[in-house]
Amino acid sequence: MNVLFIIVDDLRPALGCYGDKLVKSPNIDQLASQSMVFSNAYAQQAVCAPSRVSFLTGRRPDTTRLYDFYSYWRVHAGNYSTMPQYFKENGYMTLSVGKVFHPGVSSNYSDDYPYSWSIPPFHPSTEKHENDKTCRGKDGKLYANLVCPVNVTEMPGGTLPDIESTKEAIRLLNIMKTNRQKFFLAVGYHKPHIPLRYPQEYLKLYPLENMTLAPDPWVPEKLPSVAYNPWMDIRQRDDVEALNVSFPYGALPYDFQRQIRQSYYAAVSYLDVQIGLLLNALDNVGLSNNTIVVFTSDHGWSLGEHGEWAKYSNFDVATRVPLMFYVPGMTTSPVSQRGRVFPYLNPFSHIGGLAPQGQSKKVVELVSLFPTLAELAGLQVPPACPETSFGVVLCTEGTSIVHYFNVSEGKVEEGCDNTDRCFNEEPVAISQYPRPADTPQWNSDKPKLKDIRIMGYSMRTIDYRYTLWVQFDPSNFSANFEDVHAGELYKMENDPNQDYNIYNNTSHGWFFKKILDILKH
């Protein structure tokens, strides 16, 4: 089996296959209709570099020791093997297109080449213009805006990075077909990461009058101040800066909130088209019947929930991601050589949704990607890491989730109904987020390691989200659970949006013991 690993940036499960009624995502929905879909998948930290290094090594941020963008795990933590490196060592041609590892220090300025990849990774030539002034304002001048629909022909190079990445990935698929070489191809798309820059025609899919606000666009009354992310990167965009919103809790005007949501959705549909073209190319080269396709995101993104934007928090909107696996012969019957699995669907004309092939409500983590993909490809599953694994090159802190795949067609696997039994047996997801102080600061979203003073550890079960904000020492990477600065507890059944913190009026010894047990092991 070949592997096509599609990783997108800042995509929450705003997809038709996840029940979103507004979005137009026919190509990703079509992939879901042939895949095992996980409806409760969570990233380990809601920021790009730490999340990507975590799932590509199969280790949690406390083991990669990366909570920001400024260290390379092989130097600062341990010489851990990565998922593509493991496939490469097992005879695969490993290829990277676009944003797979976070570029810069955290991947040694090389996307971890040559360890992880057979040839140097490809980056779109137009990537360097991502934050330039390319957004035309009403006055005709160019700005570095957050909301940025564009005429693609006017862009530097007459294209956009994700369009370039799709073309390169298709070129590589054709070469792999010709060479008959088994491959692990990772394709990383930029959107819907900010700036929300996409071809302007996608706005037609989302009339502004159809856009709603978040169901809870206010800061919750009992939200500890340490838990709030003040969305600094949004504030620094020209169009947001012009609104002069007060720091940290001032709200964006409602009409502008709708515009952000409109542009986020438009960027998702633009992304859907790129993925549709890529999967259609997999069909065209005749590799759909022997290629595993994995689709996920590095973390979610707040669209005004809790008065917050961007990622940088422990809420579901920031940590929950889409996750699906297409495995020929397992999630679908093997197709004949001529059968098309992924015909391209045009979001401007396609009507009607497609249900996931199988769906699991089990809580799973992105740190489990490495062992899961190894098992699906028939490779030996890396062993579980010992309690301290800094000196262990190959091990994983996730667990393979292949045993959740045996759900019959179209069936949704149910959650758990006995609270005691569920609590002890059901899987949980651990996410974490660092903060420099108890109250929102200019660097609360992205504190550098030396400035971290508090770590928020968050445990998501099927029924609850439990978060502890504890004292953290960045000099020795240690958290002190005897020094709890704040806590959050949300019951999903009657508070699915996590607006009503019941930490102070509920006994939670159970959760405390459980989270400590998991973090110790």
Side-chain angles (χ1 to χ4, degrees):
M1 286 280 195
N2 304 305
V3 176
L4 174 58
F5 181 63
I6 304 170
I7 167 75
V8 297
D9 209 340
D10 292 16
L11 177 67
R12 59 197 259 157
L15 299 165
C17 52
Y18 277 84
D20 192 302
K21 300 285 192 284
L22 184 64
V23 77
K24 307 279 192 301
S25 55
N27 294 288
I28 299 171
D29 297 347
Q30 178 172 251
L31 172 62
S33 75
Q34 306 287 332
S35 298
M36 185 66 199
V37 174
F38 288 87
S39 53
N40 281 301
Y42 296 91
Q44 274 45 78
Q45 191 180 325
V47 72
C48 304
S51 174
R52 288 163 187 261
V53 168
S54 171
F55 66 69
L56 287 164
T57 61
R59 320 262 185 143
R60 299 182 187 280
D62 279 347
T63 307
T64 65
R65 293 187 161 173
L66 180 70
Y67 315 104
D68 56 18
F69 301 83
Y70 308 107
S71 66
Y72 179 42
W73 78 92
R74 292 187 192 273
V75 174
H76 289 269
N79 189 26
Y80 311 144
S81 181
T82 68
M83 178 165 45
Q85 179 183 354
Y86 188 58
F87 276 80
K88 183 182 168 193
E89 288 164 355
N90 279 278
Y92 281 73
M93 182 83 167
T94 57
L95 307 158
S96 173
V97 172
K99 185 178 176 181
V100 180
F101 279 100
H102 192 84
V105 186
S106 61
S107 58
N108 203 31
Y109 297 101
S110 67
D111 298 88
D112 198 46
Y113 174 78
Y115 291 100
S116 288
W117 311 109
S118 303
I119 60 173
F122 169 86
H123 283 277
S125 61
T126 58
E127 198 174 78
K128 60 181 176 286
H129 302 295
E130 231 357 43
N131 294 308
D132 290 359
K133 295 189 174 189
T134 55
C135 319
R136 201 165 291 287
K138 286 176 182 165
D139 57 6
K141 294 178 184 171
L142 293 176
Y143 294 92
N145 285 345
L146 169 63
V147 172
C148 188
V150 297
N151 180 337
V152 176
T153 59
E154 293 179 357
M155 291 300 99
T159 187
L160 291 171
D162 286 347
I163 295 171
E164 283 191 90
S165 290
T166 301
K167 284 182 178 164
E168 175 64 9
I170 292 171
R171 188 184 76 84
L172 290 172
L173 283 176
N174 280 289
I175 292 171
M176 291 299 105
K177 167 68 173 174
T178 307
N179 293 357
R180 300 188 168 205
Q181 186 161 14
K182 64 178 178 179
F183 61 84
F184 178 104
L185 170 59
V187 183
Y189 286 110
H190 280 263
K191 293 302 120 188
H193 193 286
I194 66 167
L196 297 170
R197 187 172 67 139
Y198 53 87
Q200 59 198 18
E201 57 267 26
Y202 287 89
L203 275 176
K204 292 178 197 154
L205 294 171
Y206 303 101
L208 200 55
E209 60 268 23
N210 292 356
M211 302 310 299
T212 57
L213 298 175
D216 51 351
W218 61 85
V219 180
E221 196 180 320
K222 293 184 177 175
L223 181 72
S225 54
V226 69
Y228 183 80
N229 70 285
W231 37 279
M232 286 301 293
D233 56 353
I234 305 280
R235 293 172 192 274
Q236 287 157 10
R237 298 280 157 180
D238 291 349
D239 49 353
V240 179
E241 201 171 20
L243 297 169
N244 208 16
V245 177
S246 64
F247 180 91
Y249 296 116
L252 290 169
Y254 282 168
D255 62 337
F256 193 73
Q257 292 193 31
R258 286 190 183 89
Q259 284 179 50
I260 298 175
R261 290 168 68 89
Q262 176 193 38
S263 276
Y264 185 88
Y265 275 85
V268 172
S269 290
Y270 159 58
L271 169 75
D272 181 78
V273 164
Q274 302 312 308
I275 289 164
L277 294 169
L278 176 61
L279 293 173
N280 186 53
L282 191 69
D283 265 356
N284 289 344
V285 294
L287 292 172
S288 300
N289 61 343
N290 64 343
T291 301
I292 296 164
V293 181
V294 186
F295 174 82
T296 192
S297 171
D298 54 0
H299 42 71
W301 214 76
S302 300
L303 280 169
E305 294 88 358
H306 315 112
E308 296 179 313
W309 300 88
K311 46 245 184 183
Y312 316 124
S313 85
N314 280 322
F315 282 118
D316 273 22
V317 279
T319 56
R320 184 171 167 241
V321 294
L323 177 63
M324 57 189 81
F325 297 84
Y326 161 76
V327 190
M330 185 184 213
T331 62
T332 58
S333 314
V335 263
S336 67
Q337 281 301 119
R338 288 196 180 82
R340 293 193 71 79
V341 189
F342 303 119
Y344 172 74
L345 302 174
N346 185 336
F348 291 90
S349 56
H350 182 77
I351 297 167
L354 292 159
Q357 171 70 14
Q359 195 170 359
S360 174
K361 288 186 174 178
K362 294 286 188 192
V363 172
V364 297
E365 307 177 284
L366 287 190
V367 78
S368 293
L369 271 171
F370 189 168
T372 303
L373 257 182
E375 183 174 345
L376 289 172
L379 304 181
Q380 191 168 352
V381 179
C385 290
E387 200 165 316
T388 304
S389 65
F390 295 107
V392 182
V393 172
L394 181 66
C395 70
T396 174
E397 292 178 331
T399 53
S400 172
I401 56 175
V402 173
H403 57 286
Y404 294 148
F405 278 53
N406 58 357
V407 180
S408 61
E409 185 174 347
K411 178 173 179 284
V412 175
E413 189 183 66
E414 289 308 321
C416 192
D417 49 12
N418 176 313
T419 307
D420 284 20
R421 184 177 64 74
C422 294
F423 187 78
N424 292 316
E425 294 176 15
E426 282 290 294
V428 304
I430 299 288
S431 304
Q432 61 190 100
Y433 213 87
R435 294 281 189 240
D438 285 304
T439 53
Q441 311 291 316
W442 67 271
N443 63 339
S444 284
D445 295 341
K446 295 188 280 191
K448 291 186 175 177
L449 176 64
K450 66 179 177 57
D451 298 321
I452 297 171
R453 295 293 173 270
I454 300 161
M455 187 67 74
Y457 290 96
S458 192
M459 179 174 72
R460 178 67 154 85
T461 72
I462 197 74
D463 297 315
Y464 294 93
R465 178 167 288 285
Y466 176 66
T467 305
L468 290 173
W469 297 90
V470 302
Q471 188 266 333
F472 185 84
D473 185 343
S475 66
N476 61 6
F477 302 91
S478 67
N480 179 5
F481 280 82
E482 290 177 9
D483 186 359
V484 177
H485 287 231
E488 298 168 77
L489 179 59
Y490 305 99
K491 189 165 195 237
M492 305 310 299
E493 186 181 15
N494 50 17
D495 184 18
N497 298 324
Q498 301 166 11
D499 293 319
Y500 302 99
N501 180 11
I502 56 172
Y503 178 86
N504 285 334
N505 50 347
T506 311
S507 96
H508 42 84
W510 241 14
F511 294 96
F512 189 75
K513 181 180 181 305
K514 180 92 170 173
I515 201 169
L516 279 188
D517 284 350
I518 293 165
L519 292 170
K520 277 180 187 161
H521 299 105

